[in-house]
Each structure stands twice: as structure tokens, then as C-alpha cells.
Amino acid sequence: MNHIENKSRIDPELRDEMAKQNIFITSLDFIYNWGRRSSVWPMQFGLACCAIEMIAAAAARYDIARFGAELFRASPRQADLMIVAGTVTKKMTPNVVRLYNQMAEPKYVLAMGACAISGGPFIDGYNVLRGIDRFIPVDVYVPGCPPRPEALLYGLMELQKKIDSQTFTKAEWYQKGLKREFPVPELGPNGLIPKFNPEIWQPREQDARKTRYGQTVLTGKKQKAPRLEPVAVPPPPAA
């Protein structure tokens, strides 16, 4: 994840030493980002098996409350973080985009698991979306199938680093003309319309799977229908 480190003019060693004496020297960016990264409230919804690992991360053994992210909100209006945990089907994609549009700024997205990132083992399925980043921007990717709760906590810490790198005077959600609501796709007879959001994702010019597997993976309709009639097996030759 690429981000620019938000360096303070205050010497960090001096700031830590004075903090031990109950003297705090800080900046507006530091205290502003500290408050946001220490109270990231995820949205309370799950899509597939990755949601079980997300629930485990909120349990007592892993205790996501140490990061101030234990308040899973049932309303997108009160959530800062959308954890896309699990397989995103094409039927569910419009609802995910609609929930993202209803979230208040600033808002972040964490794609949890191979299915949410790229379709996972169902990448060639007719009903599975090949990555939620085709419709909404993703800030942190947590790979795995499914990733363990420790991986989700690591992804949360990476998100906190990104929040620390931001300055509120140049924050994108304070800029004029910012478009953070994206069109909700519709489920048509041949899939989603549109198939992707051109502002977020562009298809590759070449299929990388042809180089990796030696040939293009065929999807969609088969060239020849399977033969379902029983085939007569000739008897073995007589001894």
C-alpha cells in the first residue's frame, strides 16, 4: 500500500521524552489523525467464510478493541471502515456499492480474503465478481483463503499507518468537486451493468493467465455440449 509518511517537525524522541513528564507537544495533524485511527468503526456485515475470521478477531482472544475498532456499526452512516469479508457475488455487488455510498466521510475499504480481492477459487464462476475494487476503491488488501484474525489485525494496523500519513488540510474528502459516490450497478440478463467502474478499475490489455498457465482459461459457454447418453462398453476379448 503506497502512502506518504506524514513527518512532523517535532523530534519524535523529544516528544516521547516530554510525554513521560506529562508534557505533550503535538500538531493538529497528529492529534487529528490520532483520534481517527484510534476509533475506526467497521460496518457490521459479512459475506462468506471470511466473516467468521472477522468475528473471531473481535472476540476476546484477539481483542480488536485494543485498536478502538470493536464497535461494529449496523448503520453505514456511523461506520468508517467497510470490511468486505468473503465472496462478492454479482447479485450482492449492487448492495455493497450502495452501502459504501451511504457511508460518511472519511471512509475506508478493506478487502479481506482472496474472493473479495480477485474472486478467489471462484474466479471463473459466472456469478462471482473478480474483485470488489472494480466498483469501489480499496485501501488495504488482506490476502488469504481465509486470512486468519492476525492477518486482519495486521491489515487494520496498515490502515492506521495510512491514516497517520494524511493531513487534514489536504485530505481528499475536504476538497471541492470530490466524487465519492459511485454508480450502483444493475443485475442484467448477462451480468452486471456496467461490468466495472471506469473511474476505479480498467481491464488489462493482455490476459496474464495465458502467460502463467500456458493458455487462456476458457469461460462462459462451452464449445461442445457434454454427451449425457450412456456409452456402450465393448466386452473384453475372450481368452
Side-chain angles (χ1 to χ4, degrees):
M1 181 179 60
N2 297 326
H3 59 268
I4 301 175
E5 184 179 359
N6 187 9
K7 295 183 179 180
S8 176
R9 297 181 180 178
I10 304 173
D11 186 7
E13 296 182 359
L14 175 62
R15 182 176 58 191
D16 296 340
E17 183 65 27
M18 298 188 70
K20 297 178 182 179
Q21 306 297 329
N22 296 329
I23 300 175
F24 289 92
I25 299 178
T26 184
S27 60
L28 289 178
D29 282 334
F30 178 81
I31 196 67
Y32 175 74
N33 292 333
W34 173 84
R36 293 196 303 115
R37 70 176 176 85
S38 301
S39 59
V40 179
W41 291 357
M43 191 185 305
Q44 185 178 357
F45 85 108
L47 298 177
C49 45
C50 284
I52 304 299
E53 303 297 325
M54 181 180 66
I55 295 171
R61 181 171 182 175
Y62 299 97
D63 192 17
I64 202 174
R66 295 174 294 159
F67 304 91
E70 77 278 9
L71 291 179
F72 283 80
R73 310 309 297 174
S75 170
R77 306 293 186 184
Q78 302 174 351
D80 306 312
L81 173 63
M82 171 183 282
I83 302 178
V84 185
T87 310
V88 185
T89 61
K90 294 180 181 179
K91 187 176 181 180
M92 191 64 185
T93 302
N95 298 324
V96 175
V97 178
R98 187 176 293 108
L99 288 174
Y100 177 82
N101 290 337
Q102 293 176 358
M103 293 174 62
E105 296 287 358
K107 51 189 176 183
Y108 304 94
V109 177
L110 187 148
M112 181 180 180
C115 291
I117 295 174
S118 62
F122 315 106
I123 186 173
D124 289 321
Y126 69 93
N127 65 326
V128 175
L129 184 67
R130 297 183 181 181
I132 190 59
D133 56 355
R134 296 192 173 203
F135 288 95
I136 59 177
V138 176
D139 298 281
V140 180
Y141 295 88
V142 180
C145 189
R148 287 182 54 84
E150 297 94 336
L152 177 59
L153 295 181
Y154 178 77
L156 180 61
M157 289 187 287
E158 290 298 309
L159 178 61
Q160 289 182 330
K161 291 181 181 179
K162 181 174 183 178
I163 294 176
D164 281 334
S165 68
Q166 297 173 339
T167 173
F168 72 93
T169 57
K170 299 181 180 179
E172 55 183 1
W173 52 87
Y174 288 147
Q175 305 302 319
K176 294 182 179 180
L178 176 66
K179 181 181 179 182
R180 297 277 282 185
E181 290 192 6
F182 301 104
V184 178
E186 298 181 358
L187 187 60
N190 297 321
L192 293 174
I193 305 173
K195 294 184 178 181
F196 59 91
N197 187 351
E199 297 182 5
I200 301 299
W201 183 84
Q202 292 289 341
R204 297 178 179 178
E205 297 180 357
Q206 297 180 353
D207 192 350
R209 294 179 297 172
K210 184 175 182 180
T211 305
R212 178 176 298 180
Y213 300 113
Q215 61 181 355
T216 305
V217 180
L218 298 179
T219 59
K221 296 182 179 180
K222 304 298 181 181
Q223 296 180 355
K224 186 177 180 181
R227 184 174 181 179
L228 303 179
E229 294 80 7
V231 179
V233 179

PDB file of all heavy atoms in Angstrom, residues 220-232:
ATOM      1  N   GLY A 220     -17.415 -19.075 -19.754  1.00  0.00           N
ATOM      2  CA  GLY A 220     -18.664 -18.884 -20.482  1.00  0.00           C
ATOM      3  C   GLY A 220     -19.159 -20.173 -21.099  1.00  0.00           C
ATOM      4  O   GLY A 220     -19.015 -21.266 -20.547  1.00  0.00           O
ATOM      5  N   LYS A 221     -19.745 -20.068 -22.282  1.00  0.00           N
ATOM      6  CA  LYS A 221     -20.338 -21.228 -22.927  1.00  0.00           C
ATOM      7  C   LYS A 221     -19.265 -22.185 -23.443  1.00  0.00           C
ATOM      8  O   LYS A 221     -18.215 -21.773 -23.919  1.00  0.00           O
ATOM      9  CB  LYS A 221     -21.228 -20.788 -24.089  1.00  0.00           C
ATOM     10  CG  LYS A 221     -22.431 -19.946 -23.674  1.00  0.00           C
ATOM     11  CD  LYS A 221     -23.283 -19.601 -24.873  1.00  0.00           C
ATOM     12  CE  LYS A 221     -24.491 -18.776 -24.447  1.00  0.00           C
ATOM     13  NZ  LYS A 221     -25.351 -18.429 -25.610  1.00  0.00           N
ATOM     14  N   LYS A 222     -19.558 -23.469 -23.314  1.00  0.00           N
ATOM     15  CA  LYS A 222     -18.652 -24.486 -23.818  1.00  0.00           C
ATOM     16  C   LYS A 222     -18.800 -24.597 -25.339  1.00  0.00           C
ATOM     17  O   LYS A 222     -19.860 -24.344 -25.904  1.00  0.00           O
ATOM     18  CB  LYS A 222     -18.945 -25.838 -23.159  1.00  0.00           C
ATOM     19  CG  LYS A 222     -18.879 -25.800 -21.638  1.00  0.00           C
ATOM     20  CD  LYS A 222     -17.498 -25.431 -21.135  1.00  0.00           C
ATOM     21  CE  LYS A 222     -17.437 -25.412 -19.625  1.00  0.00           C
ATOM     22  NZ  LYS A 222     -16.107 -25.021 -19.115  1.00  0.00           N
ATOM     23  N   GLN A 223     -17.709 -24.978 -25.975  1.00  0.00           N
ATOM     24  CA  GLN A 223     -17.747 -25.113 -27.426  1.00  0.00           C
ATOM     25  C   GLN A 223     -18.581 -26.320 -27.855  1.00  0.00           C
ATOM     26  O   GLN A 223     -19.141 -26.338 -28.940  1.00  0.00           O
ATOM     27  CB  GLN A 223     -16.315 -25.242 -27.956  1.00  0.00           C
ATOM     28  CG  GLN A 223     -15.468 -24.007 -27.715  1.00  0.00           C
ATOM     29  CD  GLN A 223     -14.063 -24.170 -28.247  1.00  0.00           C
ATOM     30  OE1 GLN A 223     -13.697 -25.236 -28.722  1.00  0.00           O
ATOM     31  NE2 GLN A 223     -13.274 -23.106 -28.171  1.00  0.00           N
ATOM     32  N   LYS A 224     -18.662 -27.326 -26.992  1.00  0.00           N
ATOM     33  CA  LYS A 224     -19.393 -28.536 -27.331  1.00  0.00           C
ATOM     34  C   LYS A 224     -20.130 -29.032 -26.103  1.00  0.00           C
ATOM     35  O   LYS A 224     -19.567 -29.091 -25.008  1.00  0.00           O
ATOM     36  CB  LYS A 224     -18.441 -29.615 -27.857  1.00  0.00           C
ATOM     37  CG  LYS A 224     -19.142 -30.857 -28.371  1.00  0.00           C
ATOM     38  CD  LYS A 224     -18.126 -31.828 -28.940  1.00  0.00           C
ATOM     39  CE  LYS A 224     -18.831 -33.087 -29.460  1.00  0.00           C
ATOM     40  NZ  LYS A 224     -17.850 -34.075 -30.007  1.00  0.00           N
ATOM     41  N   ALA A 225     -21.400 -29.342 -26.272  1.00  0.00           N
ATOM     42  CA  ALA A 225     -22.184 -29.811 -25.139  1.00  0.00           C
ATOM     43  C   ALA A 225     -21.709 -31.188 -24.707  1.00  0.00           C
ATOM     44  O   ALA A 225     -21.285 -32.015 -25.536  1.00  0.00           O
ATOM     45  CB  ALA A 225     -23.669 -29.860 -25.518  1.00  0.00           C
ATOM     46  N   PRO A 226     -21.757 -31.483 -23.413  1.00  0.00           N
ATOM     47  CA  PRO A 226     -21.317 -32.809 -22.953  1.00  0.00           C
ATOM     48  C   PRO A 226     -22.282 -33.896 -23.411  1.00  0.00           C
ATOM     49  O   PRO A 226     -23.482 -33.669 -23.561  1.00  0.00           O
ATOM     50  CB  PRO A 226     -21.321 -32.663 -21.435  1.00  0.00           C
ATOM     51  CG  PRO A 226     -22.305 -31.573 -21.166  1.00  0.00           C
ATOM     52  CD  PRO A 226     -22.179 -30.617 -22.314  1.00  0.00           C
ATOM     53  N   ARG A 227     -21.748 -35.072 -23.623  1.00  0.00           N
ATOM     54  CA  ARG A 227     -22.557 -36.208 -24.061  1.00  0.00           C
ATOM     55  C   ARG A 227     -23.073 -36.931 -22.825  1.00  0.00           C
ATOM     56  O   ARG A 227     -22.301 -37.482 -22.029  1.00  0.00           O
ATOM     57  CB  ARG A 227     -21.716 -37.155 -24.913  1.00  0.00           C
ATOM     58  CG  ARG A 227     -22.514 -38.321 -25.498  1.00  0.00           C
ATOM     59  CD  ARG A 227     -21.643 -39.130 -26.442  1.00  0.00           C
ATOM     60  NE  ARG A 227     -22.391 -40.233 -27.033  1.00  0.00           N
ATOM     61  CZ  ARG A 227     -21.884 -41.095 -27.901  1.00  0.00           C
ATOM     62  NH1 ARG A 227     -20.604 -40.960 -28.285  1.00  0.00           N
ATOM     63  NH2 ARG A 227     -22.614 -42.075 -28.398  1.00  0.00           N
ATOM     64  N   LEU A 228     -24.392 -36.916 -22.670  1.00  0.00           N
ATOM     65  CA  LEU A 228     -25.007 -37.488 -21.483  1.00  0.00           C
ATOM     66  C   LEU A 228     -25.528 -38.897 -21.705  1.00  0.00           C
ATOM     67  O   LEU A 228     -25.883 -39.578 -20.743  1.00  0.00           O
ATOM     68  CB  LEU A 228     -26.159 -36.590 -21.000  1.00  0.00           C
ATOM     69  CG  LEU A 228     -25.779 -35.140 -20.687  1.00  0.00           C
ATOM     70  CD1 LEU A 228     -27.006 -34.364 -20.239  1.00  0.00           C
ATOM     71  CD2 LEU A 228     -24.696 -35.069 -19.620  1.00  0.00           C
ATOM     72  N   GLU A 229     -25.618 -39.326 -22.949  1.00  0.00           N
ATOM     73  CA  GLU A 229     -26.138 -40.675 -23.197  1.00  0.00           C
ATOM     74  C   GLU A 229     -25.104 -41.712 -22.766  1.00  0.00           C
ATOM     75  O   GLU A 229     -23.892 -41.512 -22.905  1.00  0.00           O
ATOM     76  CB  GLU A 229     -26.455 -40.868 -24.691  1.00  0.00           C
ATOM     77  CG  GLU A 229     -27.585 -39.999 -25.207  1.00  0.00           C
ATOM     78  CD  GLU A 229     -27.115 -38.591 -25.504  1.00  0.00           C
ATOM     79  OE1 GLU A 229     -25.891 -38.370 -25.418  1.00  0.00           O
ATOM     80  OE2 GLU A 229     -27.961 -37.724 -25.796  1.00  0.00           O
ATOM     81  N   PRO A 230     -25.566 -42.826 -22.243  1.00  0.00           N
ATOM     82  CA  PRO A 230     -24.607 -43.873 -21.840  1.00  0.00           C
ATOM     83  C   PRO A 230     -23.907 -44.456 -23.062  1.00  0.00           C
ATOM     84  O   PRO A 230     -24.489 -44.617 -24.139  1.00  0.00           O
ATOM     85  CB  PRO A 230     -25.482 -44.916 -21.148  1.00  0.00           C
ATOM     86  CG  PRO A 230     -26.863 -44.696 -21.689  1.00  0.00           C
ATOM     87  CD  PRO A 230     -26.951 -43.205 -21.943  1.00  0.00           C
ATOM     88  N   VAL A 231     -22.657 -44.706 -22.900  1.00  0.00           N
ATOM     89  CA  VAL A 231     -21.830 -45.253 -23.980  1.00  0.00           C
ATOM     90  C   VAL A 231     -21.646 -46.743 -23.741  1.00  0.00           C
ATOM     91  O   VAL A 231     -21.297 -47.179 -22.643  1.00  0.00           O
ATOM     92  CB  VAL A 231     -20.472 -44.544 -24.047  1.00  0.00           C
ATOM     93  CG1 VAL A 231     -19.595 -45.127 -25.157  1.00  0.00           C
ATOM     94  CG2 VAL A 231     -20.669 -43.044 -24.219  1.00  0.00           C
ATOM     95  N   ALA A 232     -21.908 -47.532 -24.774  1.00  0.00           N
ATOM     96  CA  ALA A 232     -21.751 -48.986 -24.650  1.00  0.00           C
ATOM     97  C   ALA A 232     -20.288 -49.342 -24.599  1.00  0.00           C
ATOM     98  O   ALA A 232     -19.495 -48.924 -25.439  1.00  0.00           O
ATOM     99  CB  ALA A 232     -22.445 -49.683 -25.837  1.00  0.00           C
TER     100      ALA A 232
END
